[in-house]
Amino acid sequence: MTMTGAEVNWFSEVSRLEPCNDGCFDAIVSSEWTIGDKPNGGYLLSLLGRAAVTLGVHPHVMAASAHFLHSPDPGPVKIETEVLRTGRSASQLAARLVQQGTTCVEALLTTTTIDAESSPYWDTGVPQPGLLSLEDCPRLVAASPGGVRVAIMEHVEVRLQPSSMGFTTGQPTGRGELRGWLALPGGEPFDPVSLLFAVDAFPPATFDVEFAGWVPTFELTVYVRALPAPGPLRILQRAQLVEGQKLDEACFAWDVRGRLVAQGTQLAGIRLG
Amino acid sequence: MTMTGAEVNWFSEVSRLEPCNDGCFDAIVSSEWTIGDKPNGGYLLSLLGRAAVTLGVHPHVMAASAHFLHSPDPGPVKIETEVLRTGRSASQLAARLVQQGTTCVEALLTTTTIDAESSPYWDTGVPQPGLLSLEDCPRLVAASPGGVRVAIMEHVEVRLQPSSMGFTTGQPTGRGELRGWLALPGGEPFDPVSLLFAVDAFPPATFDVEFAGWVPTFELTVYVRALPAPGPLRILQRAQLVEGQKLDEACFAWDVRGRLVAQGTQLAGIRLG
């Protein structure tokens, strides 16, 4: 689907904050960045990340860990922050997302200044996906195989390697792994705040094993490893274990230069078996 | 090294808490669970985990995320907790470790009741190490290649697959991966609290690339996936990227039944290059 400028649901708009008082911000959780009627967890964490860097101690989120207490409804929320420590090279903050007096997300964040000129000193070279070009990866549509409207997919461009698309026709591979591309609405460049969303943008990796309904995130941790170059991200998302109605997922995001820019890990609930 | 009962530096002892008042505990950070004079980060997180389950909302830590602000000195500390939400199947808490008024570690924890009878519904089967028996893996000694006393290694039994021991003789493999066994002092069984330590017990995986001095943890996230069977754990710890003087590590712990019982991920500082 293509959009004209007027229709673009910009990430910078849906994650916009209005300072309300000391360390507190107002935000509107978009009804369009949802799965069914539930806002995406990484999107919620990105609101807390934006609050953390807006406070101005350090400009970039380096590590963020969120625990999810309640799924907020789309609409107005408050972001409350507390600076825990201001250091020379890194600072730590706590942030929470509150809706009508109920805490929905609680997060800890470490911020720093990421050097735009940094380069890898050592890396394993794996597991960067051997991906087809973006154009050769089909875009996911805004309806899950379960029939739920996934509004966020109308705006965010999730393109999957054809070999990862089996679940859309009831033929998952059983590997528990999804590879593909991710782009923000309107092609907006990624930054450390939107990377907090990026590692939670793909469908659950277990769709490649067995389709399940809503997979609510209990915990999401993100490490931002480099400032991303403009352009879409290559994503690898994979699961390791489903046990006790819980699933883990690791997510890796590389920019168009092939640089690892973010790593995410999450523990989520899942109804299988 | 063997120890008689009287000399055993039990984990349950060095992680003991004394309730002091509402949601607050006193603890003593052991001078023996240190690297140089710095307490191990996973050990500090386990103190917060014990506080969280001692409050009694749910008996097991399921997810814990810690951000490290200051390294405390061995000695007395206070653990302050706050119950964020009490749910039927899971609860969330905040906990901090404070020494002489300075917050050293700030953590969020989700607790639950882990079913002792649960079993994997699906798993990838990888990357469980193909390990030699515990007896065939040499035990690490309490001195780092840099000459620093690593007191914790006198108590905790870290045994590495011979192929992971290259760094001890200046011959790392370059893979950034350590495999081996872990046992608590006196063979004390692991539980969800000590698993928070287990995934941070091994040396940095980058020792298998290049030796570095103190590698301070910025963030450590742990998922407890099952109640471990008594006995030592098989550990796989691996790094993916060193960039901007930072390193990530993923750690996996399997019990003697071969069940994945914990997953850890951390972002740490490192001086290389």
Side-chain angles (χ1 to χ4, degrees), chain A residues 118 121 210 219 223 243 259, chain B residues 118 121 210 223 243 259:
Chain A
S118 82
Y121 176 78
E210 184 176 336
E219 202 277 348
Y223 302 148
E243 177 168 345
R259 294 276 299 280
Chain B
S118 81
Y121 177 79
E210 184 176 337
Y223 302 147
E243 176 166 346
R259 294 277 298 280

Side-chain angles (χ1 to χ4, degrees), chain B residues 32-73:
Chain B
E32 291 300 298
W33 285 56
T34 51
I35 300 95
D37 56 353
K38 309 289 192 188
N40 173 279
Y43 163 49
L44 298 177
L45 178 55
S46 72
L47 296 175
L48 301 181
R50 191 175 298 292
V53 298
T54 300
L55 290 177
V57 186
H58 281 100
H60 304 129
V61 176
M62 167 172 106
S65 334
H67 289 239
F68 294 81
L69 285 64
H70 285 284
S71 183
D73 293 322

Side-chain angles (χ1 to χ4, degrees), chain A residues 234-270:
Chain A
R234 292 176 234 193
I235 301 282
L236 166 60
Q237 176 143 297
R238 58 185 180 193
Q240 191 179 359
L241 173 68
V242 176
E243 177 168 345
Q245 312 281 23
K246 288 174 199 77
L247 114 93
D248 62 282
E249 293 183 280
C251 185
F252 306 90
W254 294 265
D255 68 9
V256 289
R257 300 170 302 174
R259 294 276 299 280
L260 181 67
V261 292
Q263 297 163 296
T265 181
Q266 67 175 280
L267 187 69
I270 189 166

Side-chain angles (χ1 to χ4, degrees), chain B residues 224-243:
Chain B
V224 175
R225 305 307 303 276
L227 298 182
L233 299 175
R234 294 175 233 193
I235 302 282
L236 166 60
Q237 175 144 297
R238 58 185 180 193
Q240 191 179 1
L241 173 68
V242 177
E243 176 166 346

